[in-house]
Amino acid sequence: MQRSVGNAAVTTMIQRMEDGAGKRKRSTSPQDQEEPKQARTAALAEDTDEDYSSSEVAAEDQFSPESVNQIEAQQRKMVRLLEDMDEGGAPDRVKRAAEEKLDILTLLRNLAPLRSVETVQQAIRLLETQPDSKAKTTYLAKLEEHLEYLAEQFPSAGVPTAETLIAMWPELTSSFGNASGQIGEDGCEDRAHAICLAIAQQSPAIGANHLSKQWALSNGARLHADHQWNHHVAASVETTNGILVIDPVFSRTAPIELSEWVDKVHVDSDSVHQVAWGFLGKPGADNQPDFNSAVEYAP
């Protein structure tokens, strides 16, 4: 079958790319359909081949708002490019390379603002599982440099005390939403993430080094006789008094000890897993975050 000029440009550009990407969804907004296909593809071929090396973003923050905007723009372009590939019947290996790049872009965009050392370390682990590509090399380097940025800008002053966490409590309550002990309430993922963001805003050093989430996962039976959850998650902070959990479903006035939280959720302690707080979705089969755990937070 003879290819159009636009489709040939797509294939040539992707063959030059050594990049990867990820699962896509169709774009339907008018701004994603403003150009004829061949003109749009040619522009994408030129733009997508740019190398967003660390020299092109603020050196002190490898995931600054400007850099995240660049990643988001690349996401949109890759989605449109994949749509053009579907229409033009591009080879599977070409589409796979583009999908792998989109995976990387989507992971990093959804984990932004990347203010947790553990989140960055988990992102590095996930990228290392991807096939070798230009995008993988570029963003692994950015993540490594970002670890240095967090260490320099938000060094740990030591494990915080329980009193430190309690002192910031009034600034956290606005992130509690309408959570209460009411049966049937859901939304624990968004609530835990909002609380983590509030803690990181109040104390970037705690957010970077001592903040995490506790995931209670069901082994088949529902959690909590009244709530009947299939999972539950809450923010937690490592303190000199042990791990304290911030879960307004059980306490709106103070954090509670992890062991007390486990008892209140009605779960075995072996089914509770500490996870980097930057991941909104539940961990994967190995109880560690996977690509599906990096869900975009949309308050």
Side-chain angles (χ1 to χ4, degrees), residues 107-122:
L107 173 77
L108 298 176
R109 172 62 187 86
N110 289 353
L111 290 179
L114 285 161
R115 288 296 180 261
S116 154
V117 169
E118 189 179 8
T119 299
V120 176
Q121 291 171 337
Q122 290 294 326

Side-chain angles (χ1 to χ4, degrees), residues 122 125 189 213-217 231-233 271-276 279-295:
Q122 290 294 326
R125 177 183 64 82
E189 299 93 342
K213 290 176 180 174
Q214 301 295 328
W215 277 90
L217 304 177
H231 66 261
H232 189 56
V233 60
S271 297
V272 175
H273 307 282
Q274 184 166 300
V275 176
F279 290 85
L280 178 64
K282 71 177 181 178
D286 59 355
N287 300 317
Q288 293 191 81
D290 58 20
F291 276 87
N292 293 325
S293 305
V295 179

Side-chain angles (χ1 to χ4, degrees), residues 4-14 16 38 41-42 45:
S4 69
V5 174
N7 290 332
V10 170
T11 302
T12 300
M13 184 278 296
I14 292 294
R16 286 189 0 245
Q38 291 187 1
T41 302

Side-chain angles (χ1 to χ4, degrees), residues 97-255:
E99 288 172 342
E100 288 165 359
K101 179 173 184 178
L102 187 55
D103 265 340
I104 293 174
L105 295 170
T106 301
L107 173 77
L108 298 176
R109 172 62 187 86
N110 289 353
L111 290 179
L114 285 161
R115 288 296 180 261
S116 154
V117 169
E118 189 179 8
T119 299
V120 176
Q121 291 171 337
Q122 290 294 326
I124 290 172
R125 177 183 64 82
L126 290 171
L127 258 65
E128 287 176 342
T129 67
Q130 292 293 92
D132 290 340
S133 68
K134 181 179 172 183
K136 174 181 175 179
T137 300
T138 296
Y139 285 108
L140 276 175
K142 285 180 177 290
L143 288 166
E144 293 287 358
E145 292 179 24
H146 199 62
L147 283 177
E148 296 179 11
Y149 166 77
L150 292 176
E152 292 174 2
Q153 296 297 316
F154 310 121
S156 173
V159 177
T161 64
E163 289 73 23
T164 299
L165 181 58
I166 292 170
M168 68 172 73
W169 197 264
E171 306 303 324
L172 306 182
T173 55
S174 62
S175 61
F176 290 175
N178 63 353
S180 69
Q182 296 177 17
I183 297 173
E185 288 211 354
D186 202 355
C188 58
E189 299 93 342
D190 284 349
R191 180 170 58 248
H193 206 74
I195 292 170
C196 285
L197 288 170
I199 292 172
Q201 182 177 17
Q202 290 299 310
S203 175
I206 291 177
N209 302 285
H210 304 289
L211 179 63
S212 58
K213 290 176 180 174
Q214 301 295 328
W215 277 90
L217 304 177
S218 170
N219 57 7
R222 292 282 181 168
L223 306 179
H224 200 284
D226 293 333
H227 291 280
Q228 291 290 295
W229 293 314
N230 59 22
H231 66 261
H232 189 56
V233 60
S236 66
V237 175
E238 174 194 19
T239 75
T240 54
N241 300 72
I243 295 175
L244 297 181
V245 179
I246 304 94
D247 190 346
V249 170
F250 299 122
S251 174
R252 297 180 69 88
T253 58

